[in-house]
Amino acid sequence: MRIQPIVFALALSFVAIPIFAFAQTDWKATQFGDPSTFAEFHGFSQITYSVAQPDSTEPLPEGGAHFNMEEFYLSIRARVTENILVLGELEFANGGPSEGALQSGKLSLDRLFIQWRLHPRLLTLRIGKIFMPFGMDPFVSMLPAGRTGNPLVTKPIVLQELRYEEWLDTGLEAYGLVRAGRVAVTYDAAVANGPAGLTPEDLQNQDNNRDKTGSFRLGLLPSLDEGYINVGASVAHGVYNHTGDRSFTMYGADAQVTWRGIELRGEYLQRTGDDQPLFDEFGNPAGVARAKAQGFYVLAGYKVIQGPNDTYYIQPVVRYEVSDIPDETDPYRFKRTAVGINYSPRPHFLLKAEVDFTKESGTEQLNDAYLFGATIDF
């Protein structure tokens, strides 16, 4: 039996059959993805340097001076059809002054959803891993993304302690906009798995009970000849433990105003519900995360020097914040005044400097710090 002709015939069939098959079908339909979707890649990164007092505690790094590759975001999106879009985001987070105590770097999947626009303004659906609609968009209040993001190095502590930081969850979201004269009314509602507790570490990918968490924000956007106003109110409710007998409710209000180089922002958050028992790594009781807590921040900035179309600017910024810290053995109230200045020499590039003056009620801890950051987006 001659082997070589048989091997040659088999090899030819492996080449000829796929060619014939592709000739009978759409080449693009047989591939992973489609070039016509025009996938886009965007992202941003922030590098920080912090100098904290020797006896400082969270939310800043313990005493010392640190360079830190704090966070890197990579966003990938593709428009499959005119009305259907898919988006995925990867984040490398390394703790740092805006995240709390220094942590080892970790790579995580942030948002990942399919978006279906059913109406140009009235209704868009998202399913997947989403930002829960509560308060300002995290890309405004928390993340240093572009020129509309957080203008300081640190993040508002009330959002870290009471709103689950950026609050990512897996579920279904619906949002839209209705115009009434010169005012646009926006709504954003979501139903998701919900957290497994009251701390940011309690976010989960799969639910631990049969109940779901709902969150809703209603916003007003007046139409102005110059400037921008966005005012909103939010509410969220969910059951967080596996037996389904402990719940939480959050209420919030937020506002953002920009006009002729002036920027004003503020958020207030109040939480009620059932306290969460805490345990150490050995299962021993370690205090309680109290459900009843509140906090707020206000921020003001002004671009004293500003190029055409924001090509460059210098912006002093100040933020004052007060928040309960409810998930400690001895809960306390945190107050901080952050004073900073931003310099953007080119679009998509921002240098930050910040000084923090902190008071923690009921403690003698000093938590003042000097911070510097460099942010770039693409």
Side-chain angles (χ1 to χ4, degrees):
M1 185 175 182
R2 301 183 64 181
I3 302 297
Q4 290 182 347
I6 297 176
V7 172
F8 178 77
L10 288 173
L12 183 61
S13 67
F14 278 112
V15 174
I17 292 175
I19 291 176
F20 177 78
F22 286 139
Q24 307 302 314
T25 61
D26 183 0
W27 167 268
K28 293 180 181 180
T30 62
Q31 303 304 297
F32 180 78
D34 188 333
S36 66
T37 59
F38 296 105
E40 299 179 14
F41 295 81
H42 299 281
F44 65 86
S45 178
Q46 176 164 269
I47 302 170
T48 61
Y49 178 73
S50 59
V51 182
Q53 292 189 355
D55 58 351
S56 64
T57 57
E58 291 187 343
L60 293 176
E62 295 188 359
H66 308 275
F67 282 108
N68 188 42
M69 178 64 252
E70 186 167 338
E71 54 191 332
F72 174 79
Y73 264 72
L74 180 63
S75 174
I76 306 168
R77 65 180 180 181
R79 191 169 298 280
V80 180
T81 71
E82 183 179 354
N83 297 321
I84 298 177
L85 176 144
V86 60
L87 180 142
E89 289 175 340
L90 295 173
E91 178 192 15
F92 173 82
N94 198 38
S98 72
E99 297 287 349
L102 290 175
Q103 307 168 5
S104 58
K106 62 178 182 179
L107 183 66
S108 61
L109 176 67
D110 274 14
R111 293 189 298 172
L112 176 60
F113 59 78
I114 298 171
Q115 176 176 296
W116 184 14
R117 187 179 63 190
L118 297 176
H119 187 276
R121 293 190 310 272
L122 297 180
L123 179 60
T124 298
L125 298 179
R126 286 176 177 174
I127 185 169
K129 196 171 185 181
I130 56 175
F131 285 138
M132 291 293 280
F134 192 98
M136 285 187 198
D137 189 308
F139 280 105
V140 175
S141 60
M142 297 281 283
L143 300 173
R147 292 165 179 260
T148 61
N150 177 22
L152 290 168
V153 179
T154 57
K155 300 176 181 180
I157 189 67
V158 63
L159 303 184
Q160 295 176 277
E161 290 292 329
L162 304 185
R163 197 194 67 177
Y164 302 102
E165 297 191 11
E166 293 142 33
W167 199 0
L168 289 154
D169 210 332
T170 304
L172 176 66
E173 178 184 14
Y175 66 93
L177 176 151
V178 179
R179 291 201 174 275
R182 293 179 60 87
V183 176
V185 180
T186 65
Y187 73 90
D188 198 342
V191 177
N193 288 329
L198 299 176
T199 71
E201 292 75 22
D202 292 319
L203 294 179
Q204 55 188 354
N205 290 320
Q206 293 183 331
D207 208 345
N208 63 345
N209 56 54
R210 298 176 64 88
D211 298 280
K212 294 293 174 280
T213 294
S215 184
F216 178 78
R217 180 183 184 271
L218 184 69
L220 295 177
L221 288 160
S223 179
L224 304 177
D225 296 330
E226 186 176 0
Y228 171 82
I229 298 178
N230 189 344
V231 180
S234 305
V235 61
H237 177 78
V239 174
Y240 66 79
N241 66 328
H242 68 280
T243 55
D245 56 0
R246 296 182 185 275
S247 64
F248 72 96
T249 303
M250 298 195 305
Y251 306 95
D254 62 271
Q256 181 185 14
V257 179
T258 58
W259 180 74
R260 294 189 176 182
I262 298 173
E263 181 171 12
L264 304 173
R265 302 182 189 178
E267 291 191 72
Y268 170 78
L269 194 154
Q270 182 182 61
R271 186 177 70 190
T272 63
D274 300 304
D275 295 344
Q276 175 190 2
L278 300 177
F279 301 91
D280 62 20
E281 57 183 331
F282 304 106
N284 301 315
V288 180
R290 287 164 173 76
K292 187 176 181 179
Q294 62 181 337
F296 73 91
Y297 75 89
V298 289
L299 180 148
Y302 178 61
K303 294 178 180 177
V304 295
I305 299 176
Q306 186 176 8
N309 299 319
D310 254 9
T311 50
Y312 61 88
Y313 63 84
I314 296 176
Q315 180 192 40
V317 182
V318 61
R319 183 182 68 216
Y320 178 71
E321 54 189 316
V322 178
S323 178
D324 294 328
I325 309 295
D327 57 346
E328 300 286 342
T329 303
D330 297 311
Y332 59 91
R333 175 156 287 193
F334 178 93
K335 299 180 180 180
R336 176 168 60 189
T337 301
V339 180
I341 187 166
N342 296 331
Y343 171 51
S344 177
R346 293 287 187 274
H348 311 290
F349 181 47
L350 182 62
L351 300 174
K352 306 177 181 181
E354 177 180 338
V355 181
D356 290 351
F357 306 96
T358 302
K359 173 62 178 176
E360 299 173 0
S361 64
T363 75
E364 298 299 324
Q365 295 289 348
L366 298 174
N367 205 6
D368 298 342
Y370 304 92
L371 307 108
F372 306 90
T375 301
I376 190 166
D377 65 272
F378 57 90

